[in-house]
Amino acid sequence: MAESLPKTPMLDELEKGGWPSFVKEIKLAAKKSPMAVDLLGLLERSYKEKIGHWKHGGIVGVMGYGGGVIGRYNDLPEVYPNISHFHTIRVNQPAGWFYKSDALRSICDIWEKRGSSLTNMHGSTGDIILLGTRTEQLEPIFAELSKVDFDLGGSGSDVRTPSCCCGMARCEWACYDTMRTCYDFTMKFQDELHRPAFPYKFKFKFSGCPNDCVASIARADMSIIGTWRDSIQMDKAAVTEYAKNGMDIQSEVVDNCPAKCMDWDGKELHIENSYCRRCMHCINVMPKALRPGKDRGATILLGSKAPIVEGALLSSVLIPFIKMEPPYKELTDIIDRIWELWCEEGKNRERVGEFIQRVGLGNFLEAIEVDPVPEMVAHPRENPYVFYEEYFEAGDEGSEEEEK
Amino acid sequence: MAESLPKTPMLDELEKGGWPSFVKEIKLAAKKSPMAVDLLGLLERSYKEKIGHWKHGGIVGVMGYGGGVIGRYNDLPEVYPNISHFHTIRVNQPAGWFYKSDALRSICDIWEKRGSSLTNMHGSTGDIILLGTRTEQLEPIFAELSKVDFDLGGSGSDVRTPSCCCGMARCEWACYDTMRTCYDFTMKFQDELHRPAFPYKFKFKFSGCPNDCVASIARADMSIIGTWRDSIQMDKAAVTEYAKNGMDIQSEVVDNCPAKCMDWDGKELHIENSYCRRCMHCINVMPKALRPGKDRGATILLGSKAPIVEGALLSSVLIPFIKMEPPYKELTDIIDRIWELWCEEGKNRERVGEFIQRVGLGNFLEAIEVDPVPEMVAHPRENPYVFYEEYFEAGDEGSEEEEK
Amino acid sequence: MTDERRTDYGPPHYERFLPPIIKENYGKWKYHEVLKPGVMVHVSESGAHLYSVRAASSRLLSIEKIRAYCDLADKYCGGYLRFTSRHNVEFLLSDAKNIDPLIADLKKLGHPVGGLQNSISAIVHTQGWIHCHSAATDASGVVKAVMDDLLEYFTEMKLPGKLRIALACCLNMCGAVHCSDIAILGIHRRPPRVDHENLHKMCEIPNVSASCPTAAIRPAMVGGKQSVEVLEERCMFCANCFTVCPSMPLADPLNDGVSIWVGGKVSNARHEPMFSKLAIPFLPNNPPRWPEVTEAIRNLVELWAKNARKYERMGEWIERIGWPKFFRMSGIEFRKEHIDDFKHAGLTFKRSTHLTF
Amino acid sequence: MTDERRTDYGPPHYERFLPPIIKENYGKWKYHEVLKPGVMVHVSESGAHLYSVRAASSRLLSIEKIRAYCDLADKYCGGYLRFTSRHNVEFLLSDAKNIDPLIADLKKLGHPVGGLQNSISAIVHTQGWIHCHSAATDASGVVKAVMDDLLEYFTEMKLPGKLRIALACCLNMCGAVHCSDIAILGIHRRPPRVDHENLHKMCEIPNVSASCPTAAIRPAMVGGKQSVEVLEERCMFCANCFTVCPSMPLADPLNDGVSIWVGGKVSNARHEPMFSKLAIPFLPNNPPRWPEVTEAIRNLVELWAKNARKYERMGEWIERIGWPKFFRMSGIEFRKEHIDDFKHAGLTFKRSTHLTF
Ligand code: SRM
Ligand code: SRM
Ligand code: SRM
Ligand code: SRM
Ligand code: SF4
Ligand code: SF4
Ligand code: SF4
Ligand code: SF4
Ligand code: SF4
Ligand code: SF4
Ligand code: SF4
Ligand code: SF4
């Protein structure tokens, strides 16, 4: 059915070796898809010339949505006409990337008919990426996806597709229900997700514990990371068991505790929980003996992003501990206030983390009506340059503060 | 001889208590010095009013010198005429602040005759501070100081009076001869010390080891801090002795090693010296058992200062290790090049540490002809914004680099 | 938009895709154990055992491959499977007997099993020359070459701790390489070549000028057309101008290539999260197998594997031994490029005498 | 300048002031021991024993007191004495028998002996209202009040480690308080009141404007005179404008006061040097004994003393337990003022989940 494959001696090299080969995937697709055939040719050319052949995408999309499609055109449409358009569609993955085969197959069927037959499972933000189709296919694809209950993900200056770790579905350490929360937030912010109206993108990522298996603290404007407030649950017998089975509890566990709050006398393990930093290390190493406490919730952090252009950021603490239970009103109210402020005062292409740095965390907190707490800082200021906003006036006799 | 003392009920409070009282000192001086009498009155007034009564000093000094005197006038000269002028003289202390009584007495005699009888032993930079005299006394004072071999210290935009720890004179850890080096540098840079010609002040401080007992790393534009390159000298018997006498070597020594390079099996102490950071802790704690290595010298660091106005700085490594032996040519050549560059390109009131940050450490090193080494950084860059200065041009065939 | 058009319905509810054993034990998992490379069991308070088998995936998947995964899921675990945050595929089994046959089938399909615990998992990566206009290198090709070389570290668990590699094909860092144990980052090294002919038609000149963080771009008339000029010595190749304006391409076969970064981490385990730091400023684009890159990475992995203590991530190890020692041990030349000269540069200077010799 | 005038001869050579025992054993010291508070012995390779007795000094000394020191030195140790980098006075004895009589004489003179090892040594400080035009508080008075209160920690060695206190009477920080375990810093809190009458005579207006790091100052005509105006909401009271121009005074009895900083250190022992961080944004100037300040400092000292581990400096202790815990334990209220908003502020935000509850 598809055209004969172009000669791709360089790419063919990448069919060898033990790691799954993306070239094989393109060739698999190329059995049926002329788009995949042209992609092979174009990619081989890039390998020879050491340069890409894609142009800036124009604005393409589906009716009523501002995001979800990345427009893409190649710069040699005469040579590679089948991929003269090669737009990707971002499809909002199910929380935790769990699938049943029938659902996956239904997507494959649509994509076989209307696209390149190539995908990314998944994109870096978490979406199902349908890799390459033509403008005129966008509406039909959306209509068919809709029939099998898949909606588009985010792109542009909107809420980006939230993602989460598998959490309670498969992990003993989940301190809140990441998948449920991810789903609930995705649903609550459908409008913000599909219709870019922010200064720039806004990403949510949900991790069930400080191991942060979705890299939330590094890659989300709002990072929701599970934690606990009370003491680590310990099964003393299981600790003894680990020791008996050869674990060197002093060097493997105690010496690696960043809080230096553990003590092992060769028989009993003691944790001074009021100093514990909830780093997870001891729990990670002795999953049968130690577990997060019972009073569980999440730490909310704000602002991580890649470096363009002010330098990369990790998220920083906004709420040290919050219970994560529907309807999450306290948190979503804060989110509303953050967005309101950022939409009003943020510059174009200024992520929320950059915005906070520009206006100052103290001012930001005042504006969103959150009290400052020491958990928000790694340490208090080192410089003495405090902007006091008020001062005493002579006649006050020191008794009253006056606004300037 | 002196006038009767003013009423100073508040200051009198500060004659009480176990710590030596500066008020008693002023009163001691006031027995003979009318200046001290007026100072008591003025200070009591400040205590009542909670505000100082000194004005910006004008430029006063001694002939041929641009520095060494801080001009000072009070703002109530009618009320306190004896301290209408109250200039301080900075006298260059002997290295290590060692004195013989005759020398100190000779200074006291001069100051009794020609000043307030009050001093600071010493100023924060290290000088003998002669606290308060009149303009017309400056020349005579200098003449008399000269007779007893004391010269002035620095002030203004010049080399400030260098200072050093007692080093080899009294400390077993001195890795180079701090007092000699301090003296040699002070002598070598007499011109720069007395005649302000820099963009701003430049301070030298010499510490014999990383304990840094003159706070060199925090308070000197050039910090010269002793260190060693080879292995810590260990007396195993003495280690055993410490253990026997009740020292918990694991928790007091090993667990506090920032390099985690020590090991104590209850009998022998092992130091993996190639990882040792020369922090001094283990040596500090076991002075009889451990000593710095034998291949000794200094680390040279640049740039510390107080916060005004870009924020405080600690000095940063310029030369990881250098032998500190007269005539210190390698180092003084580098100093010459630094001053040349800084004088040419530094802004007014820009300390060398601020200058380096403004022009970039890499560029600074190039200009002073010092090769970059990893010891200069806490870590390599985290942002990807590298200013490559050259690129390949098409016809190069990748074989040659071209200047742009 | 018509009234009937269905929008904003969001993704399918995840519960539809959870196997019964997970639904029953949701939130009740008690502990887990790694049984062998790529295979772990989670044990529930209820006593239930869930076996997960993790297989490598190339992330760029044809629908044929997805269907093959589905076939395996149907065969061994009721049709249930998932993908991980690093793009591996996981099969969720209730019956331990199915583990080995599944692994055998996966191997046949070309998908090695592994990536758990103290191993190197799949490389988080991006589009590269497959799809993006910004790329300074390819993504999938470099990843394939590197992982072919490091395969043993995926299929075995012989490392001191986890090692996470990521790749981004340009400074936008969609691969979020800024917090990886080892990061591969495509970089441009030639300032934008302005397309004076078309710039005024495609871009707003004030926006273009404003996009440059170093103020290297200023408006200029060129050949009678409104355009911009670039002060080349101020350019640090961030490509922000190109993101804003297509007439400012930076891609250039002679100067594009790859830089290598080390020591980042994301988890809060032991050490707080850390950014990756520059190790090797530049390696050439050398398709199809980027041998300079694969070699450099293998060297880094092996240096770390040999010297780090148990659980010590790359960055924790380097922090313990200090960067000077890292440079000495790795043989990487330290250059001006390594020294930060961006906004917070001063905070990266070594402000102590904690040095090794 | 006449030809004969002697200049640039520098300080006297230190060798003139070294007692014979030091000259003989210069560079040969082997180890030292602290014998009791304020007294240590250094033992040389040669076997020689040098006893140092350290006494508190007020730094501000009358010549009478210096002469009294000289008398003691003459009486007990050949006239040799020294001052330390923290302004204490030290007597250098070759004969152990002289130690106790010397101590007795020092006490009589009002100078307690101590300050060695795990104690609080003298407070490094500055001029204050005694001599400086910039001061936002006094120096000597605050120091006297604080040390009277902390005397036991000078004369005994009962602390976990060294504790260094410093005071600076304005942001110029001549007391170099930026790296102290506890720092007392005089601060202004009212923007400069411009002396429009005289400014144009005393100062160069462009220099004044340029001196302000926050660009709060701009040229303005006031009452027909060239002067400047201050955008008060931009002022953070650095007083750099006042340093450059006397017509911009900030001192103000109602608003000046003291801030307290903690956790800095200088030595490289264990932890690298650290800056002090803001603990208490403002305490009033309350002469003569600044009770709010002495109380705050005693609380900090005792909190640390009770909770720190052996050798752990204030900053090391706080770093181990975390700042939130420090604020909870100390009862100090955390406020907006504590949050950095200067140049590198973002780097002080908590970018991990390492939290205690
Ligand atoms: C498809 C994807 C890479 C992939 O192969 O997985 C991707 C692809 C692009 N990203 Fe991205 N980003 C993707 C995840 C990310 C991530 C990672 C994440 O979300 O966890 C980041 C870093 C985290 C962050 O948000 O900062 C990321 C940071 C960027 C940036 C820099 C943003 C910044 O504030 O620094 C840009 C530049 C921009 O927005 O103009 C960018 C821009 C782009 C554009 C749209 C190119 C552009 O300049 O307009 C790329 C389209 C490529 C194409 O043609 O297919 N992409 N981008 C990822 C989205 C897939 C998905 O929806 O699942
Ligand atoms: C006397 C002394 C304080 C003391 O009581 O000990 C002192 C007193 C003054 N210093 Fe200082 N500084 C003194 C040591 C320091 C130190 C500490 C040190 O040298 O170790 C520092 C911090 C380290 C540094 O250099 O950064 C220091 C940082 C400043 C600054 C801020 C400089 C900066 O770059 O941030 C100024 C402001 C200026 O230079 O305009 C300053 C300015 C001043 C002036 C001249 C006031 C002024 O604005 O013109 C003060 C004169 C006071 C007076 O009337 O007596 N003084 N000054 C110290 C000098 C005594 C001596 O020579 O031994
Ligand atoms: C499946 C997955 C979550 C998901 O919903 O997709 C997952 C699952 C588990 N993670 Fe993770 N992690 C997953 C991505 C991550 C990430 C994110 C990433 O790599 O981009 C991190 C942060 C990485 C970083 O710090 O740079 C991550 C840091 C951890 C850690 C902390 C390791 C450390 O010492 O720093 C643990 C604890 C451990 O392994 O001891 C952990 C532990 C676990 C456990 C043991 C949790 C459990 O009880 O189920 C799971 C199997 C571990 C394993 O792979 O060895 N997981 N884990 C992700 C698998 C990715 C993959 O295919 O390899
Ligand atoms: C006399 C003096 C040097 C001088 O030439 O004047 C000196 C002398 C000694 N210092 Fe020091 N230090 C002196 C100021 C300093 C300073 C500077 C300062 O305080 O401004 C520091 C850095 C302080 C800081 O980190 O903030 C300093 C940090 C040390 C340390 C490291 C302590 C630590 O654990 O951080 C040691 C090692 C120790 O005590 O174990 C040390 C050890 C010593 C020894 C034991 C060295 C020796 O073998 O002779 C001396 C007696 C110790 C003592 O006081 O307990 N010396 N020492 C200074 C006495 C000042 C005073 O009157 O109190
Ligand atoms: S983040 Fe925590 S809860 Fe989520 S999968 Fe990872 S270890 Fe489990
Ligand atoms: S979770 Fe981390 S900080 Fe807490 S006790 Fe365990 S290892 Fe220590
Ligand atoms: S800095 Fe080192 S050599 Fe100098 S006195 Fe202090 S401990 Fe001794
Ligand atoms: S000097 Fe410091 S780093 Fe070196 S072994 Fe001793 S304690 Fe460790
Ligand atoms: S990292 Fe750059 S080149 Fe790669 S996909 Fe993202 S934007 Fe495109
Ligand atoms: S690449 Fe970046 S630095 Fe260079 S001109 Fe464009 S925006 Fe400016
Ligand atoms: S700190 Fe300020 S007020 Fe105090 S002496 Fe120095 S310049 Fe003067
Ligand atoms: S005190 Fe500082 S911030 Fe305020 S006006 Fe003066 S220079 Fe500007």
Side-chain angles (χ1 to χ4, degrees), chain D residues 192 205 208-212 214-219 228-231 241 248:
Chain D
I205 287 169
V208 182
S209 306
S211 73
C212 180
T214 66
I217 302 175
R218 52 186 190 200
V228 299
E229 65 177 7
V230 176
L231 306 173
C241 52
M248 306 282 292

Side-chain angles (χ1 to χ4, degrees), chain B residues 165-167 171 173-174 207-209 211-213:
Chain B
C165 76
C166 53
C171 182
W173 297 325
S207 280
C209 82
N211 281 330
D212 198 1
C213 293

Side-chain angles (χ1 to χ4, degrees), chain A residues 260 274-275 277 314-317 357 363 366 375-376 378-379 381-383 387-389 391-392, chain D residues 232 234 255 277-278 281 309 319-320 323 325 328 336-341 346 348 350-351:
Chain A
K260 300 189 181 170
S274 79
Y275 291 99
R277 296 187 188 172
L314 287 156
S315 288
S316 73
V317 176
Q357 296 200 161
N363 295 331
E366 253 171 28
E375 285 80 0
M376 292 169 176
H379 57 77
R381 67 166 63 237
E382 294 174 335
N383 64 74
F387 289 92
Y388 283 98
E389 281 152 18
Y391 55 80
F392 298 112
Chain D
E232 297 202 339
R234 285 220 196 146
N255 295 288
K277 280 113 189 156
L278 181 61
R309 296 184 180 165
E319 194 160 281
R320 173 168 61 80
W323 285 92
K325 205 149 180 86
R328 281 196 295 274
K336 190 182 170 189
E337 286 82 2
H338 289 102
I339 304 178
D340 192 359
D341 49 8
T348 71
K350 182 72 174 179
R351 301 203 185 264

Side-chain angles (χ1 to χ4, degrees), chain D residues 39-81:
Chain D
V39 183
M40 63 183 158
V41 60
H42 283 79
V43 180
S44 163
E45 311 268 10
S46 75
H49 283 53
L50 170 71
Y51 304 94
S52 301
V53 175
R54 181 180 295 174
S57 162
S58 55
R59 192 181 88 122
L60 195 165
L61 293 178
S62 65
I63 53 170
E64 302 304 329
K65 182 56 61 60
I66 298 175
R67 285 170 179 154
Y69 287 164
C70 289
D71 294 344
L72 292 178
D74 288 342
K75 184 165 165 197
Y76 294 112
C77 41
Y80 296 98
L81 78 171

Side-chain angles (χ1 to χ4, degrees), chain A residues 310-386:
Chain A
E310 296 286 321
L313 295 175
L314 287 156
S315 288
S316 73
V317 176
L318 177 68
I319 307 176
F321 185 90
I322 192 169
K323 287 280 178 186
M324 288 303 290
E325 277 146 18
Y328 324 95
K329 179 143 171 44
E330 188 186 338
L331 180 55
T332 56
D333 282 355
I334 290 175
I335 293 170
D336 285 344
R337 294 201 293 274
I338 292 171
W339 286 346
E340 203 177 314
L341 178 70
W342 174 52
C343 286
E344 193 150 315
E345 304 197 359
K347 294 190 202 163
N348 185 32
R349 297 188 75 233
E350 184 177 49
R351 296 282 284 267
V352 79
E354 294 168 320
F355 172 71
I356 294 171
Q357 296 200 161
R358 178 167 61 82
V359 302
L361 177 55
N363 295 331
F364 175 79
L365 292 171
E366 253 171 28
I368 64 164
E369 294 161 44
V370 170
D371 286 332
V373 291
E375 285 80 0
M376 292 169 176
V377 298
H379 57 77
R381 67 166 63 237
E382 294 174 335
N383 64 74
Y385 302 143
V386 180

